[in-house]
Amino acid sequence: QVQLVESGGGLVQPGGSLRLSCAASGTIFKIYAMGWYRQAPGNERELIAGITIGDTTNYADFVKGRFTISRDNAKNTVYLQMNNLKPEDTAVYYCNAEVGITLLHIQTYWGQGTQVTVSS
């Protein structure tokens, strides 16, 4: 079994910064793509950023230039550095990972979510 545990959420003022972390643990052969999503009340879950095993990144237009995704493969951890936060960034943030449990068995896992609130 694999678990993803997010941390780093909280309350921040507009214009502030937060850094989210998501650590994977359990039976892991290799972690392939990793990503961050968010879901605000009444909205669908949306992709924020993704990163491949080769460190290729992609971002939603609404976070380009403000958020940066990175990963530390030695720690099985993905990060999301969020700068210049806006009230509309308020949401529950989830990480997700494509985890190879064996060479042939790949499964997608989700974290439990961490609340980010941007308010003065």
Side-chain angles (χ1 to χ4, degrees), residues 72-83:
D72 184 333
N73 293 327
K75 296 181 179 179
N76 289 334
T77 299
V78 62
Y79 304 96
L80 185 69
Q81 177 66 43
M82 305 186 293
N83 298 328

Side-chain angles (χ1 to χ4, degrees), residues 27-78:
T27 304
I28 299 171
F29 170 71
K30 184 177 291 187
I31 300 179
Y32 297 93
M34 305 182 83
W36 287 96
Y37 291 71
R38 71 186 186 187
Q39 186 167 18
N43 291 353
E44 294 185 353
R45 191 172 297 188
E46 57 186 0
L47 174 67
I48 302 168
I51 185 167
T52 68
I53 193 171
D55 286 338
T56 298
T57 59
N58 65 284
Y59 296 92
D61 286 343
F62 54 81
V63 301
K64 282 181 179 177
R66 299 190 299 127
F67 292 9
T68 303
I69 189 171
S70 60
R71 64 191 286 172
D72 184 333
N73 293 327
K75 296 181 179 179
N76 289 334
T77 299
V78 62

Side-chain angles (χ1 to χ4, degrees), residues 11-17 84-87 117-120:
L11 173 65
V12 63
Q13 292 187 342
S17 298
N84 191 22
L85 282 160
K86 305 175 181 180
T117 302
V118 185
S119 175
S120 55

